[in-house]
Amino acid sequence: MRLILLGAPGAGKGTQATFIKEKFNIPQISTGDMLRAAVKAGTELGLAAKKVMDAGGLVSDDIIIGLVKDRLKEPDCANGYLFDGFPRTIPQADAMKEAGVAIDYVLEIDVPDEAIVERMSGRRVHPASGRTYHVKFNPPKVAGKDDLTGEELIQRDDDQEATVLKRLQVYHEQTELLVGYYNQWAESGQPGAPKYRKIAGVGPVES
Ligand code: AP5
Ligand code: ZN
């Protein structure tokens, strides 16, 4: 199974990815998680990316496309993959199309902007695994601790309200174009075209 999860910041891509990757036994390729790992490791890429991420902008297409192409060469992608937060620009989507990276489904998770800020302000993350909680909507068993490891949960640096609003604006200006892009491709009936499904991202996580 080869999937793209498309949706605004805070729509629940990472949350749903946890279930989907287990069901299909495929790796989650989250460009956001990859960039945060580079920031933590203090690499040159990490230092450059941190500034952009903290400002709510997008890291350059060349860097992201290179990261993903390298990741797809790893053996665990042979059985499929789940893209989380990628592609998020037309050039990124075009690069995958040109490279012949197959996609079975594009799943758009739809959440109104009004719900996003509250989701982000309550989000808590286990940095090592990317497991995500919410203090109110999806609380860990023990406050502030990861359910599986018991390790500390943190807040993301880019979850402050001003940064969240900027990320939403960037989503509407650049990433939302992919809704039309993939819908058109899906409707074209061309061989290899993905199927497109829009899913309401409000309501309980399980549904
Ligand atoms: P990235 O990490 O991809 O962030 P994002 O797209 O902004 O999405 P989030 O991770 O914030 O949200 P999510 O949809 O995963 O929601 P979650 O499941 O956590 O990217 C970060 C940055 O990296 C970007 O801003 C950019 O700078 C850079 N970057 C990354 N990829 C890039 C690319 N391809 N090109 C260029 N730059 C790139 O859920 C959010 C909260 O809501 C959680 O607390 C969760 O518990 C809660 N929640 C989830 N579902 C529900 C529900 N149904 N009801 C109530 N609460 C819920
Ligand atoms: Zn995420």
Side-chain angles (χ1 to χ4, degrees):
M1 182 61 78
R2 297 156 300 192
L3 298 160
I4 292 176
L5 280 182
L6 182 63
K13 302 181 295 295
T15 300
Q16 297 302 330
T18 309
F19 301 106
I20 298 170
K21 72 177 178 188
E22 272 181 27
K23 180 167 171 66
F24 294 106
N25 191 26
I26 51 177
Q28 172 188 3
I29 303 183
S30 160
T31 41
D33 285 350
M34 290 159 87
L35 293 169
R36 281 183 287 278
V39 170
K40 201 170 172 213
T43 62
E44 204 176 313
L45 163 67
L47 291 174
K50 180 158 176 46
K51 286 193 195 124
V52 178
M53 293 167 83
D54 286 352
L58 292 181
V59 174
S60 83
D61 287 331
D62 288 348
I63 290 177
I64 297 287
I65 291 164
L67 270 180
V68 172
K69 282 189 171 171
D70 284 348
R71 180 67 185 83
L72 286 170
K73 287 179 195 147
E74 289 176 34
D76 64 337
C77 294
N79 189 29
Y81 32 80
L82 170 61
F83 287 131
D84 162 9
F86 173 87
R88 61 211 282 160
T89 64
I90 300 275
Q92 291 178 19
D94 278 341
M96 292 299 107
K97 212 178 189 180
E98 279 156 26
V101 175
I103 300 296
D104 300 305
Y105 281 93
V106 178
L107 306 178
E108 179 194 347
I109 306 183
D110 182 36
V111 174
D113 284 7
E114 300 79 71
I116 298 287
V117 174
E118 190 184 7
R119 284 195 182 190
M120 304 299 228
S121 60
R123 170 159 58 185
R124 300 292 182 275
V125 183
H126 178 240
S129 68
R131 268 188 295 281
T132 300
Y133 304 86
H134 190 283
V135 290
K136 187 162 136 199
F137 304 131
N138 184 19
K141 290 184 186 122
V142 178
K145 308 277 186 209
D146 177 49
D147 284 353
L148 295 188
T149 63
E151 290 167 356
E152 289 291 314
L153 302 177
I154 60 148
Q155 277 191 278
R156 268 170 50 173
D157 289 341
D158 60 348
D159 276 351
Q160 296 163 34
E161 186 167 342
T163 314
V164 170
L165 294 176
K166 177 68 189 168
R167 286 161 61 200
L168 270 175
Q169 184 194 340
V170 169
Y171 176 78
H172 291 305
E173 285 171 4
Q174 299 199 47
T175 308
E176 217 169 22
L177 295 171
L178 296 178
V179 171
Y181 179 102
Y182 285 116
N183 261 304
Q184 265 177 13
W185 189 11
E187 284 162 13
S188 72
Q190 287 164 359
K195 295 185 178 64
Y196 195 97
R197 298 284 183 272
K198 182 170 175 169
I199 297 152
V202 290
V205 167
E206 296 73 21
S207 71

